[in-house]
Short mmCIF file of all heavy atoms in Angstrom, two decimals:
data_model
loop_
_atom_site.label_atom_id
_atom_site.label_comp_id
_atom_site.label_asym_id
_atom_site.label_seq_id
_atom_site.Cartn_x
_atom_site.Cartn_y
_atom_site.Cartn_z
N ASN P 32 30.87 14.23 21.21
CA ASN P 32 30.96 14.08 19.77
C ASN P 32 30.60 12.72 19.32
O ASN P 32 29.92 12.54 18.26
CB ASN P 32 32.47 14.46 19.27
CG ASN P 32 32.66 15.91 19.40
OD1 ASN P 32 31.81 16.71 19.31
ND2 ASN P 32 33.96 16.28 19.35
N ASN P 33 31.08 11.71 20.01
CA ASN P 33 30.71 10.34 19.68
C ASN P 33 29.19 10.12 19.72
O ASN P 33 28.59 9.46 18.91
CB ASN P 33 31.50 9.30 20.58
CG ASN P 33 32.99 9.32 20.36
OD1 ASN P 33 33.45 9.76 19.31
ND2 ASN P 33 33.68 8.74 21.31
N LEU P 34 28.55 10.66 20.86
CA LEU P 34 27.10 10.51 20.92
C LEU P 34 26.35 11.13 19.75
O LEU P 34 25.49 10.62 19.18
CB LEU P 34 26.58 11.08 22.31
CG LEU P 34 25.18 11.09 22.53
CD1 LEU P 34 24.59 9.75 22.60
CD2 LEU P 34 24.82 11.84 23.79
N THR P 35 26.85 12.35 19.47
CA THR P 35 26.31 13.14 18.39
C THR P 35 26.37 12.42 17.13
O THR P 35 25.44 12.28 16.29
CB THR P 35 26.91 14.54 18.26
OG1 THR P 35 26.72 15.24 19.54
CG2 THR P 35 26.28 15.39 17.21
N GLN P 36 27.61 11.88 16.87
CA GLN P 36 27.78 11.15 15.53
C GLN P 36 26.94 9.89 15.47
O GLN P 36 26.35 9.56 14.52
CB GLN P 36 29.28 10.75 15.47
CG GLN P 36 29.72 10.20 14.19
CD GLN P 36 29.41 11.11 12.95
OE1 GLN P 36 29.72 12.35 13.06
NE2 GLN P 36 28.79 10.61 11.93
N ALA P 37 26.77 9.15 16.67
CA ALA P 37 26.07 7.98 16.71
C ALA P 37 24.53 8.30 16.39
O ALA P 37 23.84 7.62 15.71
CB ALA P 37 26.11 7.31 18.07
N LEU P 38 24.07 9.37 17.08
CA LEU P 38 22.63 9.91 16.77
C LEU P 38 22.36 10.32 15.44
O LEU P 38 21.37 9.87 14.79
CB LEU P 38 22.29 11.03 17.75
CG LEU P 38 22.17 10.61 19.16
CD1 LEU P 38 21.94 11.96 20.10
CD2 LEU P 38 20.89 9.78 19.46
N VAL P 39 23.43 10.92 14.79
CA VAL P 39 23.25 11.41 13.36
C VAL P 39 23.25 10.18 12.50
O VAL P 39 22.54 10.10 11.59
CB VAL P 39 24.42 12.39 13.03
CG1 VAL P 39 24.47 12.63 11.50
CG2 VAL P 39 24.22 13.71 13.67
N ASP P 40 24.18 9.29 12.76
CA ASP P 40 24.19 8.03 12.01
C ASP P 40 22.95 7.21 12.05
O ASP P 40 22.37 6.76 11.12
CB ASP P 40 25.37 7.20 12.39
CG ASP P 40 26.85 7.75 11.93
OD1 ASP P 40 26.73 8.60 11.16
OD2 ASP P 40 27.77 7.23 12.54
N HIS P 41 22.42 7.14 13.20
CA HIS P 41 21.10 6.41 13.45
C HIS P 41 19.96 7.07 12.71
O HIS P 41 19.22 6.46 12.05
CB HIS P 41 20.82 6.36 15.00
CG HIS P 41 19.56 5.68 15.26
ND1 HIS P 41 19.44 4.37 15.03
CD2 HIS P 41 18.31 6.10 15.70
CE1 HIS P 41 18.12 3.91 15.40
NE2 HIS P 41 17.54 4.97 15.89
N LEU P 42 20.08 8.37 12.83
CA LEU P 42 18.92 9.15 12.12
C LEU P 42 19.17 9.11 10.59
O LEU P 42 18.11 8.93 9.82
CB LEU P 42 18.89 10.59 12.53
CG LEU P 42 18.36 10.89 13.96
CD1 LEU P 42 18.46 12.36 14.34
CD2 LEU P 42 16.94 10.39 14.09
N ASN P 43 20.46 9.14 10.10
CA ASN P 43 20.67 9.05 8.72
C ASN P 43 20.21 7.69 8.17
O ASN P 43 19.75 7.60 7.00
CB ASN P 43 22.09 9.23 8.50
CG ASN P 43 22.52 10.78 8.52
OD1 ASN P 43 21.58 11.57 8.36
ND2 ASN P 43 23.83 10.97 8.72
N VAL P 44 20.34 6.54 8.96
CA VAL P 44 19.92 5.25 8.42
C VAL P 44 18.40 5.27 8.20
O VAL P 44 17.96 4.89 7.23
CB VAL P 44 20.31 4.20 9.54
CG1 VAL P 44 19.69 2.90 9.17
CG2 VAL P 44 21.82 4.01 9.49
N ARG P 45 17.69 5.96 9.19
CA ARG P 45 16.24 5.93 9.08
C ARG P 45 15.85 6.83 7.94
O ARG P 45 14.88 6.66 7.12
CB ARG P 45 15.65 6.44 10.41
CG ARG P 45 15.69 5.36 11.46
CD ARG P 45 14.89 5.73 12.53
NE ARG P 45 14.73 4.66 13.50
CZ ARG P 45 14.01 4.51 14.41
NH1 ARG P 45 13.01 5.44 14.64
NH2 ARG P 45 13.98 3.39 15.24
N VAL P 46 16.59 8.00 7.77
CA VAL P 46 16.28 8.98 6.68
C VAL P 46 16.47 8.26 5.26
O VAL P 46 15.69 8.31 4.36
CB VAL P 46 16.96 10.26 6.86
CG1 VAL P 46 16.96 11.09 5.61
CG2 VAL P 46 16.45 11.04 8.03
N ALA P 47 17.70 7.50 5.24
CA ALA P 47 17.96 6.86 4.03
C ALA P 47 16.96 5.82 3.72
O ALA P 47 16.51 5.60 2.58
CB ALA P 47 19.35 6.20 4.12
#
Side-chain angles (χ1 to χ4, degrees):
N32 284 339
N33 290 343
L34 175 65
T35 303
Q36 188 62 41
L38 289 173
V39 167
D40 289 345
H41 180 69
L42 289 176
N43 280 342
V44 166
R45 288 190 171 197
V46 168

